[in-house]
């Protein structure tokens, strides 16, 4: 069985310590630790994580290397992120949010997980990201919260 590759941003990693998101982020991390899914991050995520509290960094380090994939930003990912800005999806202040989307798009990750409702997990923004992707020949990207990605027993029986 092919494992789902889930790009996670720092909001998901830190979400393990936020009462509002803790249950779902922790369950997603358990799926990574147990090899049910592959955690995907980028060099941008790792850079953001370097400034995070130690407990968040330690939590991230619990993902076994065989269930973790690290992607690198490059000229193409930067160019696509700039296209998102040129189309007015985000401003330059939120370039890294656009870069997360671009990296996950170009590397064709199965789904991007985030708790960032303003710039990432936002129906209007998702439609706009995908519109730009299609306009420039890139695939559409699935963007969800960890809660939407997790499989529960009721869904598996249907």
């Amino acid at each position: 069985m092919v494992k789902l590759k889930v790009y996670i941003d720092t909001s998901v990693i830190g979400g393990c310590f936020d009462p509002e998101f803790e249950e779902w982020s922790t369950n997603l991390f358990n799926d990574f630790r147990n090899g049910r899914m592959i955690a995907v991050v980028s060099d941008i995520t790792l850079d953001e994580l370097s400034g995070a509290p130690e407990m968040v960094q330690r939590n991230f380090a619990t993902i076994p290397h065989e269930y973790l994939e690290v992607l690198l930003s490059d000229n193409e990912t930067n160019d696509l992120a700039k296209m998102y800005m040129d189309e007015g999806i985000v401003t330059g202040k939120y370039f890294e949010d656009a870069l997360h989307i671009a990296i996950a798009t170009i590397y064709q990750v199965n789904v991007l997980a985030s708790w960032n409702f303003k710039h990432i997990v936002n129906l209007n923004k998702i439609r706009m990201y995908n519109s730009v992707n299609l306009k420039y020949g890139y695939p559409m990207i699935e963007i969800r919260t960890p809660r939407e990605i997790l499989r529960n027993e009721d869904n598996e029986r249907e």
Side-chain angles (χ1 to χ4, degrees), residues 44 73-83 95 99 102 106:
I44 305 308
S73 58
D74 60 15
N75 289 339
E76 185 179 16
T77 59
N78 283 310
D79 289 346
L80 182 55
K82 288 175 188 166
M83 289 179 214
F95 179 74
L99 196 50
I106 289 171

Side-chain angles (χ1 to χ4, degrees), residues 2-85:
V2 176
K3 293 180 179 40
L4 191 67
K5 290 186 176 188
V6 182
Y7 183 104
I8 54 174
D9 68 6
T10 50
S11 72
V12 173
I13 302 165
C16 293
F17 303 96
D18 183 318
E20 185 177 359
F21 307 121
E22 172 178 31
E23 175 183 357
W24 305 105
S25 284
T26 299
N27 287 337
L28 186 60
F29 261 72
N30 287 337
D31 279 349
F32 296 147
R33 288 184 197 108
N34 293 316
R36 288 187 288 271
M37 296 181 194
I38 304 295
V40 180
V41 296
S42 66
D43 53 339
I44 305 308
T45 313
L46 296 178
D47 185 52
E48 292 172 353
L49 195 57
S50 69
E54 189 176 320
M55 65 183 177
V56 174
Q57 293 179 32
R58 278 196 313 264
N59 183 53
F60 176 72
T62 65
I63 301 172
H65 292 286
E66 62 266 26
Y67 305 126
L68 178 66
E69 187 176 327
V70 179
L71 306 176
L72 300 176
S73 58
D74 60 15
N75 289 339
E76 185 179 16
T77 59
N78 283 310
D79 289 346
L80 182 55
K82 288 175 188 166
M83 289 179 214
Y84 295 148
M85 290 182 353

